[in-house]
Amino acid sequence: MVVTTSWYLALAAVLFSMGAVGLLTRRNPLIMIMCVELMLNAVNLTFVSLGAELGDLGGQLSVFFVLVVAASEVVVGLAVVVAIMRRRQGATVDDLSVLRG
Amino acid sequence: MLDLVWLVPAFPLAGFLILTFGGRRLGEPTAGWLATGAMAGSFLATAGAFYELAGRDVHDRRSVTTLFEWVPAGDLTVDVGFLADPLSLTMCLFVTGVGALIHLYSIGYMHGDAGFRRFFAYLNLFAFAMLMLVLGDNLLLTFLGWEGVGACSYLLISFWFTDEANASAGKKAFITNRIGDWGFMVAIFMTFATFGTVAYVDVLDTTAAGTVATSTATVIALMLFVGAIGKSAQFPLYLWLPDAMAGPTPVSALIHAATMVTSGIYLLTRVNPIIADAADWVPTLIAWTGAGTALFAATIAVAQRDIKKVLAYSTVSQLGYMFLAVGCGAYVAAVFHMITHAFFKALLFLGSGSVIHGMDGDQDMAHYGGLRRFMPITAGTFVIGWLAIAGVPPFAGFWSKDEILAFAWNESPLLWAVGLVTAVLTAFYMTRLVILTFFGRHRYADPRPDEVDEAWAAALAAADGAVVAAAAALDAAVAASEAGTDEPAAAEAMVAAKAAHEAATIERDLIVAASGERPELPALALYGEPEVGPVADRLPDEVAARSDHHPHESPWTMALPLVVLAVLSVLGGLIQLPFSSATKRLEGWLEPTLFGNEVHLSVGTGTLWVLAALAVAGGAVGIVVAVAAYLQRRVDHSAFEQPILADAWRFDRLVSNFMGGPGRAGFEATANFDSTVVDGAVESVATMVKVEAGLLRRFHNGLVRTYAAGIGVGAVGLVVWFLSRTSF
Amino acid sequence: MAVLATAAGVPFAVLPALLVVPAAGALLVAVLPRRRPELVKLVAVATSMVVAAMTVWLLVAFDVDRGADMQFEFRHSWMTDLGIQWLLAVDGISLFLIVLTGILFPIALLAVDPGHDERAYFAWMLLLEAGVIGVFCAMDLMVFFLCFEVVLVPMYFLIGRWGHENSAYAATKFFLFTMAGSALMLIGILVLAFLHADATGGGLTFDLVELAEAQSLGTTTARWVFLSFALAFAVKVPIFPLHTWLPDAHTEAPTAGSVILAGVLLKLGTYGFLRFGLYLFPEASHFFAPVFLTLGLVGIIYGGVVATMQRDLKRLVAYSSVAHLGFIVLGTFALNTEGIEGGLLQMVNHGVSTAALFLLVGMIYERRHTRRIDELGGLQKSAPILAGVFTLVMLSSIGLPGLNGFVGEFLVLVGTFNAHPWLAVVATGGVVLAALYLLWAYQRVFHGPADGDNAEMPDLKIREGLVLAPLLVLIVAMGVYPKPVLERMEPSVDALVAHIETHVDGFHEPTSRFGADIVVGDGGDDSGDDH
């Protein structure tokens, strides 16, 4: 059984959908951030595998960008979430509607 | 001297400026003498110009003096210039002459008034405006004077402004005049549109030389007539003149008798070529409006009790005669009557002012009577004025009125009949006025209806009080007898108290019955002191105070103008005696301004004598009936004083109700429309934005997962969209 | 490249100076210490006096013989790639509006003290002055638009911070309403410039004279673009039914704000119609003239009727402004020399007399702290000089001949009569309405018995009299001798009318039909009032 590119793509798709479903259904902000990370990494995997198959270096280049953005976003997001969680123990995303219109 | 004709309006203007800015240093009476001096200077300047113009050849009697360019705009060029010709100088003469006399009179009349200086400032400003009106060489300058006299009339009518009635009268005068001014302005526009200029010389010469299209001339003439109706108080724009009597009497004499109200007739006389070119129904309309107004006002004057109101309606009536003359093409007769009317009406008004001054401000003729004993000069001059207005030969009014009636007969016998009936009524009401004021008993000390009512109320109150007191005494006696101390005395006291109570009650009932049956106090107690009945001793103190009152004659500053005007009223007819063209001096003098539009009488001399005789007879009838009714008790005078006449045919009431009712409601509705509908539309835009924002706000609920779901759905949608458009 | 104006011997560029001096003054005032309000007021008044002196000098230096030309031209590049330049010039049409601005601002600044936050107040006023003068002398469309919008901000703050009870609402309404109107104008300007660039093949330009002389828009396009301009001006004038911002803004503004608003700001709209409506779009103006004439007429009558029923004195004067500006619109769209000149003269006249009226009402408010007519009464007894001055200004507003209000009104009506007789006949009825509402208000406020606080109202002070004096002198002088003003306006107006005649097929200036109805001999049957 040869492991082809489609296996990687399928794995990426599965990871992405797991992350998406998790994002939409979980209420703990930390978990939601982890799901977002999962989705981003799934996308990274897609980029790399297709880059390898098509021989295009652009795929790996995009991964760099995504990694950087993900890292900065995690830093900021975790800082905000931790600050909020410290104030209100056990707060879920449903409670945080201060920015409503 | 004719080049200096600008001095004529300049003197009163200077007077106005000095009095306004000269400050309080000019107190009474310097301010009055200054103003009178300005008018006298103006009169002398006019006389000088008059002599120079009269010295010229007949065909050269017109002089235009231009001061400066006023409004140059496009094709329109209007200068400030003066046209000195026979018509304008004649007007100036009597405006300045009578005006100077009235200024002199006012020094005495306004003595002690806090607004003395302001009064003379306004009077001079008025004179300036009137002279600009008359001397202006173009329609726009006349309009400047026209509006100016309207504004000064407003200021002077509401002179004693702390009284709301005076303020309202002034406002009413200005606004009613403005309605007429609307017509005048439209006429000016039409004139400019037709002729390219508004100067009299150009417009009138062009019209006289050629023929203006009938419809154009009709429009111009009609609109000028509308203006004239407003200014000269003809129906239906006469409503302001009776109310204008709220102003001081010199104002009534100057503005509302001699000068301002004659502006309309002056205007129509000035533009006689245009009237000649207008449709035939225009002069007929003018004549009938004049005649109708004359009769209408005369009927009202018959029943008025305020002396100034009688004279006011009399003025409206006499102005109607002048319009009648203009409508019949008798311009000379109109001007003639204008001049004589200025003399005798000013005399009558000033005389009435003298009477009011002597009676300490009382204007109700029911309180007058027998004043000739107290005010001989006033009475004597007033009688002359009366004879003049009643059309008694050889006084001035007879000649002018007779001339108008002759031309009216020439035009239409029906018009003449209306004029004759009016003349009869004029004689009647003026005789009534003279008798009520100067003859008969002096009624000032008579008790008045409200005082008699007060006395009856006092009597009733006293009677009630007596009953109450008696009842109290009775109760006391009853109580005493029940206390049982002194039996026989107490019983006696009780009997006495009962009797007293009965007597008081009977007394009271008698008085109540008498009060219910008392006769109505007559409006005019002409033949003896009114019977007051049993309450004579309960009359309020003012009644007794009045019996000591002695009306006084006026000072010389007031008496002298009266005498001068009386002389003029006697001799005024000399300027236009109808016997031959040599004696018709006014006609000859005014001829250059008439452009041949004066109608020629087509009646024979015999007819003229008959008409004159009928006019005299009519006047005599009026006088005789009035004497019979008011002096000799042979005719019941209340038959003439119908309430509907006293209420001026309810026309004023109708207009006031309309303005205050539907008129005001309409205005109010418009204002509400503005704040609810128009502004509401603006507000609704803002409200719509607010509502929409409220709707859209629901999408922003602040929950992350909703936003995430939105992103998800949107992403899926985008992918589907792109996939559906590509082909594999 | 700056061109120093050397017309008529002017040694310096006066028009840019007229913009820079008040703006610099505003900046200077803004940095002065807050705790010295007298110093702030002194600097501000001094700046406005300098501007006033310059405008008077502008008037004197104006060359009457070259009246139709643009004088004192100043040209400096700004955004060359976009064709925008600092282009300023003056001709007979804008001259007197600039002088009016220069005269009114010192009067407004001297008359009333704001009471609080003097620094900001005077800074905003000076900035407003700069903006207004900019509008009147701008010859580049973008500069015009910039200044047109700039005046909104200071006015908003002036009404909002120093106004009366309902000022926040009034300020917001004024700002949003006026800005909404002019938003479309920006699009119109851009369309005009771009289409012109396409048609001529040259570069983009916003030079007014170039655009107007070229007339490169098609008829329908020009009409649409004209409408976008007209909407902005119609809100500003204001024309019925877009006038409802005016009563609120005038009533709630502080006295000086009302003076400037009524005296100058309203003229931005009417000036805009003349300079940008008629000049840029002659055919569209001629096409839409009946609409604007009717709306002007409605404004005259409607404004007068609504004014009659007002219970607040200031609101009454505000509605009277609607009526007076209706006359100006009427004259402008009569499209003949008398009408346009009358409208232009009325702009100046209205500025003077309504400014005086607002000053007087402000003085009454300062003493009695009420503007409600039913709370005032009998004031002529306690304050006769104030009453006398009020009478003079009121008679000017009514249009009494001999005072300034009459000449302009008369010219407007004469011009309109030559063009559309029946409209003029109805519009003349407006003068009756003017007498009605003003005299009735005067009677209720000044006549009658004085009781309570009304009896103790102090009379006009010397300082107030001095502030009013220039306006009163102008009222009388321009009524008696308007010729110097008219002869400076006329060449530019004539040029404008000729421009319209050139660019509109079949249009001839409606003038008097001199001689048309006069036949020597037989009378014709020409109807005098057709149309």
PDB file of all heavy atoms in Angstrom, chain C residues 141-166:
ATOM      1  N   LEU C 141     -13.426  75.156  -8.552  1.00  0.00           N
ATOM      2  CA  LEU C 141     -14.555  74.420  -7.977  1.00  0.00           C
ATOM      3  C   LEU C 141     -14.170  73.683  -6.707  1.00  0.00           C
ATOM      4  O   LEU C 141     -14.969  73.606  -5.767  1.00  0.00           O
ATOM      5  CB  LEU C 141     -15.104  73.418  -8.996  1.00  0.00           C
ATOM      6  CG  LEU C 141     -15.969  74.043 -10.095  1.00  0.00           C
ATOM      7  CD1 LEU C 141     -16.406  72.984 -11.075  1.00  0.00           C
ATOM      8  CD2 LEU C 141     -17.162  74.720  -9.483  1.00  0.00           C
ATOM      9  N   MET C 142     -12.983  73.124  -6.673  1.00  0.00           N
ATOM     10  CA  MET C 142     -12.607  72.366  -5.475  1.00  0.00           C
ATOM     11  C   MET C 142     -12.358  73.293  -4.298  1.00  0.00           C
ATOM     12  O   MET C 142     -12.729  72.961  -3.168  1.00  0.00           O
ATOM     13  CB  MET C 142     -11.351  71.539  -5.754  1.00  0.00           C
ATOM     14  CG  MET C 142     -11.685  70.204  -6.325  1.00  0.00           C
ATOM     15  SD  MET C 142     -12.961  69.387  -5.317  1.00  0.00           S
ATOM     16  CE  MET C 142     -13.021  67.828  -6.116  1.00  0.00           C
ATOM     17  N   VAL C 143     -11.736  74.421  -4.555  1.00  0.00           N
ATOM     18  CA  VAL C 143     -11.534  75.382  -3.461  1.00  0.00           C
ATOM     19  C   VAL C 143     -12.896  75.844  -2.927  1.00  0.00           C
ATOM     20  O   VAL C 143     -13.119  75.945  -1.720  1.00  0.00           O
ATOM     21  CB  VAL C 143     -10.709  76.594  -3.952  1.00  0.00           C
ATOM     22  CG1 VAL C 143     -10.608  77.645  -2.878  1.00  0.00           C
ATOM     23  CG2 VAL C 143      -9.338  76.137  -4.388  1.00  0.00           C
ATOM     24  N   PHE C 144     -13.804  76.094  -3.862  1.00  0.00           N
ATOM     25  CA  PHE C 144     -15.147  76.493  -3.456  1.00  0.00           C
ATOM     26  C   PHE C 144     -15.786  75.430  -2.574  1.00  0.00           C
ATOM     27  O   PHE C 144     -16.339  75.724  -1.514  1.00  0.00           O
ATOM     28  CB  PHE C 144     -16.000  76.739  -4.700  1.00  0.00           C
ATOM     29  CG  PHE C 144     -17.465  76.809  -4.426  1.00  0.00           C
ATOM     30  CD1 PHE C 144     -18.020  77.922  -3.838  1.00  0.00           C
ATOM     31  CD2 PHE C 144     -18.295  75.745  -4.743  1.00  0.00           C
ATOM     32  CE1 PHE C 144     -19.371  77.987  -3.579  1.00  0.00           C
ATOM     33  CE2 PHE C 144     -19.650  75.798  -4.481  1.00  0.00           C
ATOM     34  CZ  PHE C 144     -20.181  76.915  -3.893  1.00  0.00           C
ATOM     35  N   PHE C 145     -15.696  74.177  -3.034  1.00  0.00           N
ATOM     36  CA  PHE C 145     -16.334  73.110  -2.259  1.00  0.00           C
ATOM     37  C   PHE C 145     -15.700  72.981  -0.890  1.00  0.00           C
ATOM     38  O   PHE C 145     -16.382  72.788   0.120  1.00  0.00           O
ATOM     39  CB  PHE C 145     -16.242  71.796  -3.021  1.00  0.00           C
ATOM     40  CG  PHE C 145     -16.981  70.682  -2.357  1.00  0.00           C
ATOM     41  CD1 PHE C 145     -18.354  70.604  -2.435  1.00  0.00           C
ATOM     42  CD2 PHE C 145     -16.308  69.711  -1.619  1.00  0.00           C
ATOM     43  CE1 PHE C 145     -19.045  69.582  -1.811  1.00  0.00           C
ATOM     44  CE2 PHE C 145     -16.993  68.696  -0.993  1.00  0.00           C
ATOM     45  CZ  PHE C 145     -18.363  68.634  -1.088  1.00  0.00           C
ATOM     46  N   LEU C 146     -14.386  73.094  -0.867  1.00  0.00           N
ATOM     47  CA  LEU C 146     -13.683  72.978   0.398  1.00  0.00           C
ATOM     48  C   LEU C 146     -14.179  74.032   1.384  1.00  0.00           C
ATOM     49  O   LEU C 146     -14.568  73.727   2.512  1.00  0.00           O
ATOM     50  CB  LEU C 146     -12.175  73.164   0.166  1.00  0.00           C
ATOM     51  CG  LEU C 146     -11.326  73.337   1.419  1.00  0.00           C
ATOM     52  CD1 LEU C 146     -11.185  72.019   2.140  1.00  0.00           C
ATOM     53  CD2 LEU C 146      -9.954  73.888   1.065  1.00  0.00           C
ATOM     54  N   CYS C 147     -14.199  75.275   0.922  1.00  0.00           N
ATOM     55  CA  CYS C 147     -14.642  76.349   1.823  1.00  0.00           C
ATOM     56  C   CYS C 147     -16.111  76.200   2.171  1.00  0.00           C
ATOM     57  O   CYS C 147     -16.530  76.468   3.304  1.00  0.00           O
ATOM     58  CB  CYS C 147     -14.399  77.709   1.167  1.00  0.00           C
ATOM     59  SG  CYS C 147     -12.673  78.063   0.923  1.00  0.00           S
ATOM     60  N   PHE C 148     -16.916  75.760   1.223  1.00  0.00           N
ATOM     61  CA  PHE C 148     -18.345  75.556   1.455  1.00  0.00           C
ATOM     62  C   PHE C 148     -18.568  74.576   2.595  1.00  0.00           C
ATOM     63  O   PHE C 148     -19.461  74.770   3.431  1.00  0.00           O
ATOM     64  CB  PHE C 148     -18.954  75.011   0.157  1.00  0.00           C
ATOM     65  CG  PHE C 148     -20.445  75.163   0.034  1.00  0.00           C
ATOM     66  CD1 PHE C 148     -21.009  76.387  -0.263  1.00  0.00           C
ATOM     67  CD2 PHE C 148     -21.272  74.079   0.202  1.00  0.00           C
ATOM     68  CE1 PHE C 148     -22.372  76.528  -0.401  1.00  0.00           C
ATOM     69  CE2 PHE C 148     -22.643  74.207   0.069  1.00  0.00           C
ATOM     70  CZ  PHE C 148     -23.192  75.430  -0.232  1.00  0.00           C
ATOM     71  N   GLU C 149     -17.745  73.517   2.618  1.00  0.00           N
ATOM     72  CA  GLU C 149     -17.910  72.547   3.694  1.00  0.00           C
ATOM     73  C   GLU C 149     -17.250  73.009   4.980  1.00  0.00           C
ATOM     74  O   GLU C 149     -17.702  72.691   6.073  1.00  0.00           O
ATOM     75  CB  GLU C 149     -17.320  71.200   3.273  1.00  0.00           C
ATOM     76  CG  GLU C 149     -17.988  70.593   2.073  1.00  0.00           C
ATOM     77  CD  GLU C 149     -19.461  70.314   2.305  1.00  0.00           C
ATOM     78  OE1 GLU C 149     -19.802  69.569   3.231  1.00  0.00           O
ATOM     79  OE2 GLU C 149     -20.276  70.881   1.557  1.00  0.00           O
ATOM     80  N   VAL C 150     -16.148  73.770   4.826  1.00  0.00           N
ATOM     81  CA  VAL C 150     -15.417  74.196   6.024  1.00  0.00           C
ATOM     82  C   VAL C 150     -16.311  75.034   6.928  1.00  0.00           C
ATOM     83  O   VAL C 150     -16.214  74.962   8.146  1.00  0.00           O
ATOM     84  CB  VAL C 150     -14.144  74.975   5.614  1.00  0.00           C
ATOM     85  CG1 VAL C 150     -13.682  75.890   6.735  1.00  0.00           C
ATOM     86  CG2 VAL C 150     -13.041  74.004   5.265  1.00  0.00           C
ATOM     87  N   VAL C 151     -17.206  75.832   6.352  1.00  0.00           N
ATOM     88  CA  VAL C 151     -18.005  76.714   7.203  1.00  0.00           C
ATOM     89  C   VAL C 151     -18.961  75.929   8.087  1.00  0.00           C
ATOM     90  O   VAL C 151     -19.471  76.458   9.083  1.00  0.00           O
ATOM     91  CB  VAL C 151     -18.802  77.749   6.375  1.00  0.00           C
ATOM     92  CG1 VAL C 151     -17.887  78.583   5.547  1.00  0.00           C
ATOM     93  CG2 VAL C 151     -19.849  77.107   5.554  1.00  0.00           C
ATOM     94  N   LEU C 152     -19.226  74.675   7.745  1.00  0.00           N
ATOM     95  CA  LEU C 152     -20.198  73.927   8.534  1.00  0.00           C
ATOM     96  C   LEU C 152     -19.674  73.601   9.922  1.00  0.00           C
ATOM     97  O   LEU C 152     -20.415  73.608  10.899  1.00  0.00           O
ATOM     98  CB  LEU C 152     -20.552  72.624   7.812  1.00  0.00           C
ATOM     99  CG  LEU C 152     -21.300  72.765   6.493  1.00  0.00           C
ATOM    100  CD1 LEU C 152     -21.633  71.389   5.960  1.00  0.00           C
ATOM    101  CD2 LEU C 152     -22.556  73.565   6.696  1.00  0.00           C
ATOM    102  N   VAL C 153     -18.385  73.293  10.006  1.00  0.00           N
ATOM    103  CA  VAL C 153     -17.853  72.812  11.289  1.00  0.00           C
ATOM    104  C   VAL C 153     -17.886  73.888  12.367  1.00  0.00           C
ATOM    105  O   VAL C 153     -18.424  73.659  13.448  1.00  0.00           O
ATOM    106  CB  VAL C 153     -16.432  72.252  11.089  1.00  0.00           C
ATOM    107  CG1 VAL C 153     -15.828  71.863  12.415  1.00  0.00           C
ATOM    108  CG2 VAL C 153     -16.462  71.060  10.161  1.00  0.00           C
ATOM    109  N   PRO C 154     -17.337  75.090  12.110  1.00  0.00           N
ATOM    110  CA  PRO C 154     -17.421  76.106  13.166  1.00  0.00           C
ATOM    111  C   PRO C 154     -18.861  76.435  13.543  1.00  0.00           C
ATOM    112  O   PRO C 154     -19.170  76.634  14.721  1.00  0.00           O
ATOM    113  CB  PRO C 154     -16.737  77.325  12.551  1.00  0.00           C
ATOM    114  CG  PRO C 154     -15.961  76.837  11.406  1.00  0.00           C
ATOM    115  CD  PRO C 154     -16.636  75.611  10.922  1.00  0.00           C
ATOM    116  N   MET C 155     -19.729  76.469  12.529  1.00  0.00           N
ATOM    117  CA  MET C 155     -21.121  76.815  12.826  1.00  0.00           C
ATOM    118  C   MET C 155     -21.746  75.758  13.729  1.00  0.00           C
ATOM    119  O   MET C 155     -22.496  76.067  14.645  1.00  0.00           O
ATOM    120  CB  MET C 155     -21.897  76.921  11.509  1.00  0.00           C
ATOM    121  CG  MET C 155     -23.115  77.791  11.598  1.00  0.00           C
ATOM    122  SD  MET C 155     -22.683  79.495  11.883  1.00  0.00           S
ATOM    123  CE  MET C 155     -23.775  79.885  13.186  1.00  0.00           C
ATOM    124  N   TYR C 156     -21.427  74.510  13.452  1.00  0.00           N
ATOM    125  CA  TYR C 156     -21.959  73.432  14.281  1.00  0.00           C
ATOM    126  C   TYR C 156     -21.555  73.618  15.736  1.00  0.00           C
ATOM    127  O   TYR C 156     -22.384  73.531  16.637  1.00  0.00           O
ATOM    128  CB  TYR C 156     -21.459  72.089  13.748  1.00  0.00           C
ATOM    129  CG  TYR C 156     -21.725  70.923  14.653  1.00  0.00           C
ATOM    130  CD1 TYR C 156     -22.983  70.344  14.714  1.00  0.00           C
ATOM    131  CD2 TYR C 156     -20.717  70.389  15.468  1.00  0.00           C
ATOM    132  CE1 TYR C 156     -23.230  69.271  15.547  1.00  0.00           C
ATOM    133  CE2 TYR C 156     -20.964  69.322  16.302  1.00  0.00           C
ATOM    134  CZ  TYR C 156     -22.215  68.770  16.333  1.00  0.00           C
ATOM    135  OH  TYR C 156     -22.461  67.712  17.168  1.00  0.00           O
ATOM    136  N   PHE C 157     -20.276  73.904  15.934  1.00  0.00           N
ATOM    137  CA  PHE C 157     -19.814  74.064  17.309  1.00  0.00           C
ATOM    138  C   PHE C 157     -20.380  75.315  17.945  1.00  0.00           C
ATOM    139  O   PHE C 157     -20.702  75.339  19.123  1.00  0.00           O
ATOM    140  CB  PHE C 157     -18.284  74.076  17.353  1.00  0.00           C
ATOM    141  CG  PHE C 157     -17.698  72.707  17.252  1.00  0.00           C
ATOM    142  CD1 PHE C 157     -17.012  72.313  16.122  1.00  0.00           C
ATOM    143  CD2 PHE C 157     -17.849  71.800  18.281  1.00  0.00           C
ATOM    144  CE1 PHE C 157     -16.483  71.040  16.016  1.00  0.00           C
ATOM    145  CE2 PHE C 157     -17.327  70.524  18.190  1.00  0.00           C
ATOM    146  CZ  PHE C 157     -16.644  70.137  17.057  1.00  0.00           C
ATOM    147  N   LEU C 158     -20.476  76.377  17.142  1.00  0.00           N
ATOM    148  CA  LEU C 158     -20.996  77.608  17.714  1.00  0.00           C
ATOM    149  C   LEU C 158     -22.430  77.432  18.191  1.00  0.00           C
ATOM    150  O   LEU C 158     -22.804  77.890  19.264  1.00  0.00           O
ATOM    151  CB  LEU C 158     -20.929  78.729  16.667  1.00  0.00           C
ATOM    152  CG  LEU C 158     -19.543  79.305  16.445  1.00  0.00           C
ATOM    153  CD1 LEU C 158     -19.523  80.179  15.208  1.00  0.00           C
ATOM    154  CD2 LEU C 158     -19.108  80.103  17.657  1.00  0.00           C
ATOM    155  N   ILE C 159     -23.231  76.749  17.385  1.00  0.00           N
ATOM    156  CA  ILE C 159     -24.606  76.527  17.813  1.00  0.00           C
ATOM    157  C   ILE C 159     -24.634  75.550  18.981  1.00  0.00           C
ATOM    158  O   ILE C 159     -25.331  75.753  19.973  1.00  0.00           O
ATOM    159  CB  ILE C 159     -25.464  75.973  16.656  1.00  0.00           C
ATOM    160  CG1 ILE C 159     -25.514  76.966  15.505  1.00  0.00           C
ATOM    161  CG2 ILE C 159     -26.872  75.690  17.148  1.00  0.00           C
ATOM    162  CD1 ILE C 159     -26.300  76.448  14.328  1.00  0.00           C
ATOM    163  N   GLY C 160     -23.869  74.487  18.875  1.00  0.00           N
ATOM    164  CA  GLY C 160     -23.974  73.429  19.865  1.00  0.00           C
ATOM    165  C   GLY C 160     -23.448  73.815  21.230  1.00  0.00           C
ATOM    166  O   GLY C 160     -24.048  73.464  22.242  1.00  0.00           O
ATOM    167  N   ARG C 161     -22.341  74.528  21.292  1.00  0.00           N
ATOM    168  CA  ARG C 161     -21.736  74.786  22.597  1.00  0.00           C
ATOM    169  C   ARG C 161     -22.199  76.081  23.239  1.00  0.00           C
ATOM    170  O   ARG C 161     -22.186  76.201  24.439  1.00  0.00           O
ATOM    171  CB  ARG C 161     -20.211  74.832  22.467  1.00  0.00           C
ATOM    172  CG  ARG C 161     -19.581  73.464  22.465  1.00  0.00           C
ATOM    173  CD  ARG C 161     -18.096  73.567  22.310  1.00  0.00           C
ATOM    174  NE  ARG C 161     -17.471  73.919  23.579  1.00  0.00           N
ATOM    175  CZ  ARG C 161     -16.165  74.070  23.732  1.00  0.00           C
ATOM    176  NH1 ARG C 161     -15.376  73.958  22.689  1.00  0.00           N
ATOM    177  NH2 ARG C 161     -15.650  74.387  24.893  1.00  0.00           N
ATOM    178  N   TRP C 162     -22.537  77.085  22.436  1.00  0.00           N
ATOM    179  CA  TRP C 162     -22.888  78.374  23.030  1.00  0.00           C
ATOM    180  C   TRP C 162     -24.337  78.733  22.778  1.00  0.00           C
ATOM    181  O   TRP C 162     -24.729  79.859  22.975  1.00  0.00           O
ATOM    182  CB  TRP C 162     -21.983  79.469  22.460  1.00  0.00           C
ATOM    183  CG  TRP C 162     -20.569  79.372  22.936  1.00  0.00           C
ATOM    184  CD1 TRP C 162     -20.049  79.894  24.070  1.00  0.00           C
ATOM    185  CD2 TRP C 162     -19.504  78.696  22.282  1.00  0.00           C
ATOM    186  NE1 TRP C 162     -18.706  79.593  24.169  1.00  0.00           N
ATOM    187  CE2 TRP C 162     -18.358  78.850  23.081  1.00  0.00           C
ATOM    188  CE3 TRP C 162     -19.396  77.966  21.092  1.00  0.00           C
ATOM    189  CZ2 TRP C 162     -17.127  78.310  22.736  1.00  0.00           C
ATOM    190  CZ3 TRP C 162     -18.168  77.428  20.745  1.00  0.00           C
ATOM    191  CH2 TRP C 162     -17.054  77.598  21.569  1.00  0.00           C
ATOM    192  N   GLY C 163     -25.121  77.783  22.352  1.00  0.00           N
ATOM    193  CA  GLY C 163     -26.499  78.094  22.004  1.00  0.00           C
ATOM    194  C   GLY C 163     -27.431  77.963  23.194  1.00  0.00           C
ATOM    195  O   GLY C 163     -27.004  77.880  24.341  1.00  0.00           O
ATOM    196  N   HIS C 164     -28.701  77.910  22.904  1.00  0.00           N
ATOM    197  CA  HIS C 164     -29.722  77.889  23.952  1.00  0.00           C
ATOM    198  C   HIS C 164     -30.138  76.461  24.260  1.00  0.00           C
ATOM    199  O   HIS C 164     -29.382  75.532  24.016  1.00  0.00           O
ATOM    200  CB  HIS C 164     -30.917  78.752  23.504  1.00  0.00           C
ATOM    201  CG  HIS C 164     -30.506  80.156  23.183  1.00  0.00           C
ATOM    202  ND1 HIS C 164     -29.874  80.957  24.097  1.00  0.00           N
ATOM    203  CD2 HIS C 164     -30.622  80.885  22.058  1.00  0.00           C
ATOM    204  CE1 HIS C 164     -29.628  82.125  23.546  1.00  0.00           C
ATOM    205  NE2 HIS C 164     -30.067  82.109  22.309  1.00  0.00           N
ATOM    206  N   GLU C 165     -31.336  76.280  24.744  1.00  0.00           N
ATOM    207  CA  GLU C 165     -31.681  75.001  25.356  1.00  0.00           C
ATOM    208  C   GLU C 165     -31.597  73.833  24.397  1.00  0.00           C
ATOM    209  O   GLU C 165     -31.058  72.798  24.733  1.00  0.00           O
ATOM    210  CB  GLU C 165     -33.108  75.031  25.911  1.00  0.00           C
ATOM    211  CG  GLU C 165     -33.474  76.264  26.708  1.00  0.00           C
ATOM    212  CD  GLU C 165     -33.788  77.450  25.815  1.00  0.00           C
ATOM    213  OE1 GLU C 165     -34.428  77.245  24.765  1.00  0.00           O
ATOM    214  OE2 GLU C 165     -33.371  78.561  26.182  1.00  0.00           O
ATOM    215  N   ASN C 166     -32.132  73.995  23.212  1.00  0.00           N
ATOM    216  CA  ASN C 166     -32.256  72.851  22.325  1.00  0.00           C
ATOM    217  C   ASN C 166     -31.117  72.810  21.308  1.00  0.00           C
ATOM    218  O   ASN C 166     -31.279  72.310  20.205  1.00  0.00           O
ATOM    219  CB  ASN C 166     -33.598  72.967  21.587  1.00  0.00           C
ATOM    220  CG  ASN C 166     -34.204  71.608  21.354  1.00  0.00           C
ATOM    221  OD1 ASN C 166     -33.717  70.616  21.867  1.00  0.00           O
ATOM    222  ND2 ASN C 166     -35.258  71.584  20.558  1.00  0.00           N
TER     223      ASN C 166
END
